[in-house]
Amino acid sequence: MPEVYNWQLGRKMLYPYEERHPKWQFAFVFNINRCLACQTCSMADKSTWLFSKGQEYMWWNNVETKPYGGYPQFYDVKITQLIEQVNPGGQVWNVRVGRKHHAPYGVFEGMTIFDAGAKVGQAAIGYIPTDQEWRFVNIYEDTATSMRALVEGIDKTGFSRDEPWKMTGSSLPEHETFFFYLQRICNHCTYPGCLAACPRKAIYKRPEDGIVLIDQNRCRGYKKCVEQCPFKKPMYRGTTRVSEKCIACYPRIEGKDPLTGGEPMETRCMAACVGKIRMQSLVRIGEDGLWAEDRWHPLYYAIRVEQVALPLYPQWGTEPNGYYIPPRHSPRGYARQMFGPGVDNAIEKYLVPSRELLAVLQLWRASQQIIFRYDVIPGPKVFETQIHGKRFEMYNDTVLGFNKSGKEVARIQVEEPIYIRPAERVTWL
Ligand code: SF4
Ligand code: SF4
Ligand code: F3S
């Protein structure tokens, strides 16, 4: 099997196809800390693409409550267990190698779904969820857990037995329970498990934007994609006997929606987000297959410069292109097993943001058009305090967002403007 370079793992890994990269890559950052689980994103997606017969159980976008929830139920626990059965040695990160451009989180020394798959004669390790597991899109909604139950649960399920991953206590001694919302769509992975698995070669990654699609004419419903996508994002439709998955609203990305006059537009689920937790863009891929340096691109800045947003389950090896600002109130061990060793740095950056990060974060949901570049106009200092023993200064800077053609599409100040209602409109006077 060929070897490909996975920068999220800081090493090469097995993959059934030779390394090949698109010119641009669809990518997004979700800020977990802001989500209110209103499910507006899920409904926007459902009402656009998934309202027909045979699609009743399908949610390309779902928001699940962690740690108990999952759609399909238990998908992440089961994938982790399957890998650990093949590789009982544990899933370990060597973080001593330092932060380099090609290995920003250290080197992963465990097995990916492809490494484990090779051991059992499959493209990737996986399983097909039962009908029962697909039943609820947000099972255990808002269900909190205690640290004790979670630690015991983790030991029982075999989740991350390796020492650096063990949780030894709660970071919230005052109250030990927690939950948070995890927003999920297809990650349009660099090394998709679904694409690797399909015996019909019905799945392809578009060279222009890295969007991963199932060719509906080639697909014969073998369901290997359902089995070997660890995120469980391809879904089988019984009425047509083919599988379907998130298409990244590609007509909008291509600028086909008349609203933006030919300019690339964010997907439906992103544009609908009430909590302003989502930003999506396209990032440029360099000759070496890594993200080309693009200092004034908001996603490049958040993911590669500040490293405040991290991939979901990078250890599975698909190099997902969905990134998350991790939850600040969950136990660190739990967050680390989901987002890798960059969690402590990311939360620290988020808790006490730099002047530039605070400005850039205002761009989340500032425009329906895709933002490719930002700029910051300095403003006056308006506030200062200490957060966790660190000095924090707030400036009322103005952040600008530009679309693909370089036209300004967003202009926002860090400080929320205050509007005073004119006296004649104040009804209680
Ligand atoms: Fe394929 Fe799953 Fe990755 Fe989407 S998340 S590209 S369906 S492997
Ligand atoms: Fe969360 Fe935004 Fe979806 Fe609401 S619309 S559930 S805030 S991601
Ligand atoms: Fe291939 Fe999945 Fe269809 S494995 S044949 S794309 S159901």
Side-chain angles (χ1 to χ4, degrees):
M1 209 187 280
E3 285 201 325
V4 294
Y5 191 77
N6 182 324
W7 65 262
Q8 293 176 355
L9 303 183
R11 69 164 170 86
K12 288 189 165 179
M13 61 166 203
L14 298 176
Y15 190 67
Y17 295 102
E18 296 291 341
E19 191 166 332
R20 216 163 29 158
H21 297 280
K23 240 173 116 189
W24 293 84
Q25 175 62 54
F26 173 95
F28 58 86
V29 169
F30 292 168
N31 181 355
I32 285 182
N33 300 282
R34 277 187 175 178
C35 178
L36 48 147
C38 61
Q39 305 287 359
T40 313
C41 48
S42 307
M43 291 314 298
D45 185 40
K46 187 89 178 145
S47 60
T48 308
W49 304 113
L50 302 169
F51 50 80
S52 300
K53 215 168 160 65
Q55 293 180 313
E56 292 82 358
Y57 84 101
M58 289 187 189
W59 296 88
W60 291 347
N61 181 105
N62 77 288
V63 179
E64 58 203 36
T65 304
K66 288 294 181 212
Y68 287 141
Y71 166 76
Q73 209 176 346
F74 315 127
Y75 72 95
D76 46 359
V77 178
K78 285 192 164 182
I79 294 292
T80 306
Q81 278 179 332
L82 284 170
I83 297 174
E84 291 211 343
Q85 276 164 17
V86 179
N87 181 39
Q91 299 292 84
V92 187
W93 288 87
N94 180 353
V95 291
R96 286 184 294 274
V97 293
R99 293 172 181 279
K100 301 191 186 98
H101 184 63
H102 61 279
Y105 316 126
V107 174
F108 178 63
E109 293 177 346
M111 270 194 185
T112 66
I113 57 164
F114 306 110
D115 297 329
K119 293 263 177 211
V120 295
Q122 295 280 328
I125 208 145
Y127 74 100
I128 300 220
T130 62
D131 288 352
Q132 201 176 17
E133 288 167 347
W134 283 114
R135 268 184 319 175
F136 303 106
V137 71
N138 190 10
I139 193 167
Y140 293 119
E141 180 171 6
D142 295 0
T143 303
T145 182
S146 76
M147 271 307 299
R148 185 179 302 280
L150 186 60
V151 170
E152 283 168 5
I154 281 170
D155 286 349
K156 257 187 260 152
T157 57
F159 236 161
S160 301
R161 282 192 295 267
D162 195 62
E163 201 61 42
W165 300 96
K166 263 192 180 168
M167 286 187 290
T168 49
S170 170
S171 54
L172 291 173
E174 313 83 304
H175 76 106
E176 289 192 327
T177 57
F178 77 97
F179 66 82
F180 61 89
Y181 305 121
L182 183 70
Q183 316 71 27
R184 296 204 304 118
I185 62 170
C186 165
N187 293 293
H188 298 276
C189 306
T190 303
Y191 303 114
C194 59
L195 186 154
C198 179
R200 282 277 300 167
K201 293 193 172 40
I203 303 185
Y204 61 104
K205 190 166 170 67
R206 304 208 308 182
E208 63 271 38
D209 52 22
I211 291 173
V212 176
L213 297 175
I214 300 177
D215 182 333
Q216 299 288 287
N217 294 321
R218 276 200 68 78
C219 176
R220 291 287 179 273
Y222 294 153
K223 289 198 246 183
K224 293 300 277 184
C225 52
V226 181
E227 181 184 321
Q228 294 181 15
C229 163
F231 301 97
K232 298 294 162 227
K233 279 300 172 189
M235 293 159 199
Y236 179 71
R237 182 166 169 186
T239 50
T240 56
R241 300 189 172 195
V242 293
S243 287
E244 298 176 359
K245 64 177 283 303
C246 159
I247 58 168
C249 297
Y250 69 81
R252 290 166 68 107
I253 307 287
E254 291 169 359
K256 297 270 166 56
D257 191 300
L259 197 66
T260 53
E263 293 294 337
M265 189 186 200
E266 291 198 347
T267 67
R268 281 280 284 147
C269 62
M270 311 282 169
C273 178
V274 172
K276 299 190 175 191
I277 82 141
R278 296 173 172 231
M279 171 173 270
Q280 174 240 310
S281 192
L282 296 159
V283 291
R284 209 153 33 82
I285 304 298
E287 292 289 308
D288 54 3
L290 303 177
W291 287 24
E293 192 179 342
D294 200 354
R295 177 63 181 75
W296 299 99
H297 188 293
L299 295 196
Y300 185 91
Y301 172 71
I303 295 161
R304 301 308 318 260
V305 180
E306 290 277 4
Q307 299 188 358
V308 70
L310 302 166
L312 176 62
Y313 293 115
Q315 66 269 34
W316 289 348
T318 64
E319 208 185 281
N321 289 297
Y323 292 80
Y324 293 81
I325 300 181
R328 51 188 284 197
H329 290 311
S330 88
R332 287 298 166 86
Y334 187 75
R336 279 189 215 115
Q337 77 191 353
M338 288 179 76
F339 304 105
V343 161
D344 298 286
N345 168 69
I347 292 179
E348 204 176 304
K349 292 272 176 67
Y350 186 66
L351 285 181
V352 192
S354 67
R355 182 172 175 177
E356 188 171 347
L357 179 59
L358 196 63
V360 173
L361 286 173
Q362 310 304 316
L363 288 175
W364 266 237
R365 296 279 21 84
S367 166
Q368 292 223 54
Q369 293 198 32
I370 294 181
I371 294 176
F372 285 77
R373 187 172 64 82
Y374 72 91
D375 200 359
V376 181
I377 302 172
K381 184 155 111 179
V382 288
F383 181 64
E384 71 172 63
T385 188
Q386 294 274 325
I387 305 176
H388 297 286
K390 282 194 180 160
R391 187 181 173 81
F392 169 72
E393 295 179 329
M394 184 172 150
Y395 292 81
N396 191 17
D397 295 335
T398 302
V399 61
L400 312 179
F402 302 92
N403 69 9
K404 195 168 188 193
S405 309
K407 186 168 163 256
E408 183 185 313
V409 290
R411 176 178 283 255
I412 304 173
Q413 287 183 309
V414 168
E415 202 176 32
E416 289 274 325
I418 297 172
Y419 297 104
I420 301 186
R421 204 181 279 190
E424 65 272 20
R425 301 215 183 274
V426 180
T427 47
W428 61 86
L429 278 182

